[in-house]
Amino acid sequence: MVEIKLRDTKTKQLVRFDPIIPGKPRMYVCGPTVYDRAHIGNARSAVVFDLLFRLLRHVYGPDNVTFVRNITDIEDKINARALETGRAIADITQETTRWYFDDMAALGVQEPTHSPRATGYVAQMIAMITSLIEKGHAYVAEGHVLFSVESYAAYGKLSGRSVDDMIAGARVEIAPYKQNPMDFVLWKPSDAVTPGWDSPWGRGRPGWHIECSAMARDLLGESFDIHGGGSDLTFPHHENEVAQSCALGHGFARIWMHNEMLQVDGKKMSKSLGNFFTVRDLLDQGIPGEVIRMVFLMTNYRKPLDWTADRVRAAEAALRKWRALVEGIEPSPSAAPEVIDALADDLNTAGAIAALHRLANDGQVAALQTSAQLLGLLEPGMGAWAAQPDLTEMTDRLISARARAMASKDFGELDRLKAALTEAGIEVRMSKSGVELRPAAGFDPAKLDAL
């Protein structure tokens, strides 16, 4: 069997992956808070852990892998959006959840085994909070229930921070009812216009951190193999998940994995800089979902990803070349060993893509197709964007224009056609033997209509 090695955030070591239940990997990944469109930073995490899901299914069998990615539909941002728009919370969360699944599907992200909604697990959250109070790890104060950080000696081990450093550097809510500034909310009261549930501490709603712990425990058990998410979640969200789960004696996640953040042209993505993009923005701009996925995979998940126009063009050019090569070809029975080995080495996607280029250059197109599909590329249902256009008429037109130019020595019309084709994203190759036109990166069929 393929040996998979993954880098554990907690130990900062590359560790061999051996499922707790032999042959039955279980993974939890923090999913979206559903109040708006997913931005491309959200999408990177979805693609990274979709790739890990694909690898685990390949190695252990599709029916043996359990992947949970939650839907956070209890959150103050959602409440604020409802007040702002006057829409019902359920309408907002249903709509934005559908958006999320549609946009991720456009990137080739498979649906996980389970997509639990936080609203369906409030009873489990209340039960966990009750146990934390009984064990002395949580306390009730002014309608709130808070986790006592001082009660859990290992607090900070995941993120590698001391409590004193966290107090000094973190943006923590200083509230008079907190025994320690780092104590975090497990339950909070709800007013008349805020969603709430009955609890032993009054009508209220859960804090964000307890949601994932309760859903992971219910669907994966007290101990499971992998917990993933973006690096921005390491602290405080994942640190708090560890504390409240392990304080109850649960083993919780054995391996923690975090993907790094995304930049745009070397700068942090933000609305104030005007470089904030949702997945839908890019799709509406005509960038195919497969190309977006390829851009993500070109950079190792543990490194910051810089989204640039050059990277988009390079991804599109490679995919166009590969799709042209595999057209009409039956895929091979299995992926190339060098591609599998690269992915098994802590999702070394750069190495896997380099191997795909070698397969293409060596003419091993059947293995190229199967191997690329392991990465979620060259899937049959994602290739409409790269369909080869019929350029016969345009080729004949260019041949005629060249003949006239050679006879008259007036190359104006020929140069105009070549420039227009290049602008439309067509690569023009002219030689003594003839004229060849090929769609290239940025091909826009609509621009051919003007010719």
Side-chain angles (χ1 to χ4, degrees), residues 169-334:
R171 297 176 181 177
V172 296
E173 180 187 359
I174 305 299
Y177 48 78
K178 283 189 175 185
Q179 295 176 0
N180 182 308
M182 291 304 300
D183 293 349
F184 57 89
V185 172
L186 300 172
W187 189 265
K188 51 190 171 183
S190 295
D191 58 28
V193 297
T194 306
W197 289 259
D198 291 333
S199 80
W201 321 288
R203 182 178 178 275
R205 60 198 190 280
W208 175 34
H209 311 301
I210 196 68
E211 296 179 11
C212 287
S213 286
M215 288 184 279
R217 180 189 183 192
D218 191 82
L219 292 167
L220 297 176
E222 294 184 355
S223 298
F224 55 95
D225 300 299
I226 300 168
H227 195 314
S231 62
D232 57 324
L233 298 179
T234 309
F235 180 84
H237 184 48
H238 289 166
E239 192 72 72
N240 292 349
E241 279 190 65
V242 171
Q244 64 202 6
S245 296
C246 293
L248 292 177
H250 304 171
F252 207 49
R254 187 171 68 85
I255 296 175
W256 287 85
M257 295 178 65
H258 293 91
N259 64 276
E260 262 302 337
M261 295 294 97
L262 185 145
Q263 302 172 335
V264 177
D265 293 322
K267 298 179 180 179
K268 182 179 179 180
M269 187 174 66
S270 70
K271 292 181 179 178
S272 62
L273 293 176
N275 64 354
F276 182 92
F277 302 108
T278 67
V279 174
R280 182 50 50 183
D281 289 335
L282 297 179
L283 294 172
D284 289 346
Q285 289 171 20
I287 301 177
E290 186 177 31
V291 172
I292 298 171
R293 184 184 183 94
M294 178 74 164
V295 173
F296 289 163
L297 297 180
M298 287 162 62
T299 300
N300 183 278
Y301 78 95
R302 290 191 289 105
K303 295 181 180 179
L305 187 153
D306 194 13
W307 179 275
T308 67
D310 285 344
R311 288 177 182 271
V312 173
R313 284 191 289 269
E316 182 181 339
L319 288 169
R320 280 193 182 279
K321 174 184 175 181
W322 294 347
R323 282 201 170 274
L325 287 173
V326 304
E327 186 175 3
I329 298 294
E330 285 294 320
S332 63
S334 61

Side-chain angles (χ1 to χ4, degrees), residues 305-375:
L305 187 153
D306 194 13
W307 179 275
T308 67
D310 285 344
R311 288 177 182 271
V312 173
R313 284 191 289 269
E316 182 181 339
L319 288 169
R320 280 193 182 279
K321 174 184 175 181
W322 294 347
R323 282 201 170 274
L325 287 173
V326 304
E327 186 175 3
I329 298 294
E330 285 294 320
S332 63
S334 61
E338 59 264 41
V339 173
I340 298 171
D341 289 345
L343 295 181
D345 182 17
D346 194 32
L347 300 184
N348 178 8
T349 51
I353 289 173
L356 293 180
H357 281 295
R358 289 193 294 271
L359 292 171
N361 293 337
D362 293 345
Q364 299 183 54
V365 293
L368 167 66
Q369 184 169 12
T370 303
S371 302
Q373 288 175 352
L374 181 56
L375 278 76

